[in-house]
Amino acid sequence: MATDIISQLGAGAGINSRQVIDELVAAQRTAQTTPLNDRRAVLNSRVDALGQLRDALGAIAGSLQERVRSGAFGLQPRASDTAVAVERSGLGPQAAFEASLVVEQLAAGQRLVAAPVATLDTPVGQGSLNFVFGRRTDLGGGDFSFAAGGAEADFSVVAGSVNNTLAGMRDAINAASGGAVTASIVNAGNGFSLVLRGKEGAARGFVVSAAEDVDAPGLSGFAYTSGNRALGFSAAAADAVMIYDGVTVSRDTNVVDGLADGVRLRLQRPTGPEGLALGANRDRAALASTLADFADTLGAMRGLIGDFRRGAANGEPAGPLAADSTARAMDQALAALVSAPVAAAGGLRLRDLGAEVTREGAVRFDAARFAQITPEQEAQAETLLAALSGNGRGQGLVALQAIGGLATPATEGLDRQRRSVDEALARAETRLEAYRTQLVRQFAAMDVLVASSKAVGTQLTQLVDSWYSRGQ
């Protein structure tokens, strides 16, 4: 019905009623929605600015935490020779130390090699292979004794018609061993050989006994017992043997934890009788560099907040967070980090380590002051930086993540205001549609009246003309 009315607008009046209605509605829309859209733009800019501050502080805290986790600020283990690679374990060394280490023997896994067969699909026999773990003792001439009861669980492999190939045997062993034995195939040039490798450690030696199917023999070629050494013996299972500060120790792996507190050793090769030196100390230069970077970052964050909080001046508009209480609180909390004591670090402050806030509000690092810190303060710096990167509060300290978190409730409040503005815009559109409908009806009625008036005028003109014509 409304469409029919609109299509007839201006038919009687002779004016462009549709254009007039559009212009009237547009004027009302500008008057009603422009303030709301302007308000929404302001809210958007505030939310975006607070989000930038929160994300930036989260990234700074994450970077600092990663350096703390990596032990970059703590005692760093070191070795004087590449025969041993060292790294922090757990919380790392808790005290500086010096020690000597001689690596006499690396841990090794037992290796057995089968005689080569022509192809990967060559039948190898059916039946079962039984693996038993324990300690193998060499008796010379290839003979050995074996004491069962090792560090791995015994297992068996069934060889049937489905896996009666060298490749099938390899896959069956790997599936059944649980990683205690790894089977692989090597192209030996004159055929393909099955290689069995055990895990490191003297107690992980193993023997293999075969129970052949009489109708499909051949599995005895994969046995290794004191009575049947069909598999060739390539390497013995062995423990790593070391002399640590004059004490002989052994481990069943080349990755050694606990020998030095908070230090993991990765043995690469024997050292010879001269050995090497182990120790742990702090990288003072790395700590100074981190503190200098952190001071610069805090200064940059305060600069960003200041830019967001700037007032309008010299024709430039105000920043999105001008007069914003949350931005002011974040800035004050960042400045307070420099002088906030950290109880867990013995009351140490960033200021004690060389950071300072200048009169202009910048944050800088005083290398000369850092050079005067004590070894105890150097040791406490790791705890201090870990605390500053966290999300805790207390005793005057608001850590980085907690400072970033100040933006969350403020953003939630701004989001509620944005929803209110959106609802007001929706109501305005509803009113404007009603206004348009009203105008359409009014102009349609006017068209009818004008058309009627024109018809009466035409009749009168015709009547007058008729009178004149009669008089003549």
Side-chain angles (χ1 to χ4, degrees), residues 162-173:
V162 176
N163 59 351
N164 185 13
T165 63
L166 193 65
M169 177 67 69
R170 173 199 60 197
D171 296 341
I173 292 172

Side-chain angles (χ1 to χ4, degrees), residues 285-325:
L287 178 58
S289 175
T290 297
L291 288 168
D293 290 344
F294 188 49
D296 288 343
T297 301
L298 289 182
M301 279 302 307
R302 295 200 70 199
L304 178 61
I305 295 175
D307 188 50
F308 284 160
R309 295 183 62 213
R310 72 183 185 278
N314 301 322
E316 293 293 328
L321 299 177
D324 185 273
S325 59

Side-chain angles (χ1 to χ4, degrees), residues 152-235:
E152 301 292 336
D154 301 340
F155 67 94
S156 296
V157 174
V158 175
S161 57
V162 176
N163 59 351
N164 185 13
T165 63
L166 193 65
M169 177 67 69
R170 173 199 60 197
D171 296 341
I173 292 172
N174 288 333
S177 72
V181 172
T182 301
S184 60
I185 295 175
V186 176
N187 186 343
N190 59 340
F192 296 88
S193 292
L194 184 71
V195 178
L196 303 178
R197 180 189 292 269
K199 294 171 66 175
E200 294 173 353
R204 294 186 175 92
F206 59 93
V207 293
V208 185
S209 59
E212 291 188 334
D213 186 331
V214 294
D215 295 326
L219 283 186
S220 59
F222 298 92
Y224 182 76
T225 64
S226 58
N228 179 4
R229 300 195 298 274
L231 289 173
F233 183 73
S234 177

Side-chain angles (χ1 to χ4, degrees), residues 291 340 342 345 347-350 353 380-389:
L291 288 168
V342 177
L348 190 69
R349 302 166 297 182
L350 273 177
L353 298 174
Q380 292 167 335
E382 182 175 15
T383 303
L384 180 145
L385 291 170
L388 294 184
S389 68

Side-chain angles (χ1 to χ4, degrees), residues 31-186:
Q32 294 185 34
T33 63
T34 295
L36 293 172
N37 285 324
D38 290 345
R39 175 61 177 159
R40 199 179 198 289
V42 170
L43 292 172
N44 285 340
S45 64
R46 292 179 65 187
V47 169
D48 290 344
L50 287 172
Q52 289 182 51
L53 297 181
R54 181 183 58 240
D55 294 346
L57 287 169
I60 296 168
S63 175
L64 195 57
Q65 286 178 337
E66 181 58 34
R67 297 206 66 182
V68 171
R69 280 193 294 267
S70 70
F73 310 131
L75 288 163
Q76 300 299 313
R78 54 178 172 76
S80 64
D81 191 290
T82 57
V84 176
V86 294
E87 60 191 59
R88 284 168 60 103
S89 176
L91 297 177
Q94 298 305 294
F97 73 92
E98 298 287 340
S100 64
L101 179 71
V102 176
V103 181
E104 294 188 331
Q105 174 179 288
L106 295 182
Q110 179 175 307
R111 288 199 305 274
L112 302 175
V113 181
V117 297
T119 69
L120 296 178
D121 297 327
T122 300
V124 295
Q126 298 183 35
S128 64
L129 292 177
N130 301 305
F131 290 73
V132 177
F133 292 88
R135 290 181 178 270
R136 175 190 178 280
T137 302
D138 186 60
L139 301 178
D143 291 336
F144 67 93
S145 63
F146 186 79
E152 301 292 336
D154 301 340
F155 67 94
S156 296
V157 174
V158 175
S161 57
V162 176
N163 59 351
N164 185 13
T165 63
L166 193 65
M169 177 67 69
R170 173 199 60 197
D171 296 341
I173 292 172
N174 288 333
S177 72
V181 172
T182 301
S184 60
I185 295 175
V186 176

Side-chain angles (χ1 to χ4, degrees), residues 327-372:
R328 182 174 64 254
M330 295 172 78
D331 183 54
Q332 291 171 346
L334 285 174
L337 283 181
V338 174
S339 57
V342 177
L348 190 69
R349 302 166 297 182
L350 273 177
R351 188 169 65 192
D352 300 323
L353 298 174
E356 61 181 7
V357 179
T358 68
R359 290 182 178 180
E360 295 76 20
V363 183
R364 61 183 292 271
F365 176 69
D366 186 346
R369 184 168 185 176
F370 173 80
Q372 297 173 5

